[in-house]
Amino acid sequence: MIRHGPPPDAFAVVMASAILAVAAAESHYRPLALVLFAVAAAALVVLVGWLAVGVRGLRRSARELRAPDVVLRAFTLVAALTVLSAAVQQLFGGPGWAVELLAAAGFAVWLVLLPIAVRDVGARRPSQLRDQVHGAWLLVSVATSGLAIAAAALAVRLGTPVLVAAAAALWLLAILLYLVLVALVIWRLVSAPLVPAEVTPDSWVLMGALAISALTGNHVQAALAALDVTAGAAAAHGLTVAAQVAAMAWLVPLLGAQVWTAGKIPGLLTYRDAWWAAVFPLGMFAAASAATARTWPLEPLTTVALVVFWDALAIWVVVAAGLVHHGVRAVRRRRTAERAVG
């Protein structure tokens, strides 16, 4: 998966495109949402094909998955599948088999990766984890929230209260994972002065994981209402509001840190795969804000959602152009090398 296939966080491009499709649909820009969805679906097919070709390196990949940084970033595949499932539901209202297939595939990958992640993290001292932690590790929380959204949607479609309980349990687990990993991040920040190299594009996942938690809360509340289950509704609403407010609170420090870093690291703004991990949180914040604005209701939050959506889309276009340019240059270098050998 690592050497012979895509890098572990390659599926962030699917996450970013799919959540922007959801946010565009939430804001009633359906044609744009369909284009973004098509890009996300095509990227998923290409990356899964690349992953399948890379299976010949499975033994080496298994060794590399022993590193927490690798296995935790690999949760982008789970998040990509579940967010794309939500996009199918949002844009087309189904078909049910497609939604369930994507969600089931995400759950299967989650079941494989989670025990490996627990093993790898548990095998290291807390101080080692503190020194290695960064924003992409929070993708395990993002992926778990994505599964909770899928479970809530399935509960409504099947009319099964048990699935609402499963969605709520996954949501609480995602919040717990977030708190544990953020505690490591805070520990790292207070242990040594912050240096520019530590402010990476995936730092935005600190906000994005809370945004998807707020979106999950909206889905859980909707499922509770649809099935006429009143138990836990007030607690779900409170957690949703808290997650939304906390996500908003992250915007200013993250933006300030990114601006502070931009002039201190040469080449920071050149294309890197990690930039997709910055697009996704902004798109997720827009989608979550639009959903939460309807639940409260709070009209100004709708305006915030629109502003952040267009910002996220602009960054998506820039990063996508960087990806294309990077790919073209790689092909040219390979052809040049082949001609030199020939």
Side-chain angles (χ1 to χ4, degrees):
M1 177 177 170
I2 311 306
R3 295 289 181 81
H4 298 274
D9 53 1
F11 289 89
V13 61
V14 181
M15 294 167 55
S17 303
I19 196 55
L20 280 177
V22 172
E26 290 272 8
S27 300
H28 308 293
Y29 300 120
R30 185 173 175 80
L32 178 58
L34 291 173
V35 171
L36 290 164
F37 174 81
V39 172
L44 179 67
V45 171
V46 169
L47 289 170
V48 168
W50 187 9
L51 185 63
V53 170
V55 165
R56 66 178 183 272
L58 191 58
R59 183 174 297 178
R60 177 179 294 176
S61 300
R63 289 197 302 268
E64 292 176 344
L65 278 174
R66 293 182 180 275
D69 188 59
V70 174
V71 68
L72 290 172
R73 287 189 294 138
F75 277 93
T76 52
L77 175 54
V78 179
L81 291 166
T82 55
V83 174
L84 197 62
S85 172
V88 172
Q89 182 68 32
Q90 177 78 22
L91 287 167
F92 309 108
W97 64 265
V99 174
E100 292 163 16
L101 178 63
L102 288 167
F107 185 58
V109 177
W110 184 83
L111 285 176
V112 172
L113 292 178
L114 190 64
I116 298 174
V118 171
R119 179 202 66 190
D120 293 349
V121 170
R124 283 158 177 80
R125 296 190 303 273
S127 59
Q128 289 179 301
L129 298 173
R130 175 203 62 196
D131 295 339
Q132 297 173 18
V133 69
H134 58 99
W137 285 25
L138 290 155
L139 288 166
V140 63
S141 175
V142 171
T144 306
S145 288
L147 288 175
I149 291 174
L154 186 60
V156 173
R157 189 159 57 252
L158 300 181
T160 309
V162 173
L163 282 173
V164 179
L170 286 166
W171 182 32
L172 291 174
L173 176 59
I175 293 172
L176 177 61
L177 290 168
Y178 179 87
L179 293 174
V180 170
L181 290 170
V182 167
L184 284 174
V185 172
I186 294 173
W187 185 17
R188 180 171 180 171
L189 290 175
V190 300
S191 298
L194 181 67
V195 297
E198 293 178 351
V199 184
T200 52
D202 59 34
S203 298
W204 286 90
V205 185
L206 288 163
M207 180 273 290
L210 284 170
I212 193 173
S213 183
L215 185 62
T216 303
N218 285 299
H219 280 269
V220 170
Q221 290 179 77
L224 289 171
L227 299 179
D228 199 25
V229 179
T230 57
H237 178 71
L239 277 175
T240 302
V241 171
Q244 182 70 49
V245 171
M248 293 176 69
W250 269 114
L251 287 174
V252 172
L254 284 171
L255 182 59
Q258 203 72 72
V259 171
W260 172 67
T261 305
K264 298 180 182 296
I265 300 180
L268 175 67
L269 298 180
T270 57
Y271 175 78
R272 288 187 291 164
D273 290 341
W275 278 109
W276 289 111
V279 178
F280 170 78
L282 291 171
M284 179 55 72
F285 182 85
S289 297
T292 304
R294 292 195 304 270
T295 304
W296 284 8
L298 189 62
E299 186 60 31
L301 195 56
T302 302
T303 303
V304 171
L306 278 171
V307 171
V308 175
F309 166 71
W310 287 110
D311 287 341
L313 182 63
I315 297 172
W316 182 91
V317 170
V318 172
V319 176
L323 174 61
V324 172
H325 178 68
H326 180 76
V328 170
R329 289 186 62 186
V331 170
R332 287 176 177 172
R333 285 196 301 267
R334 185 165 61 249
R335 289 178 177 174
T336 301
E338 289 172 353
R339 284 196 295 267
V341 172

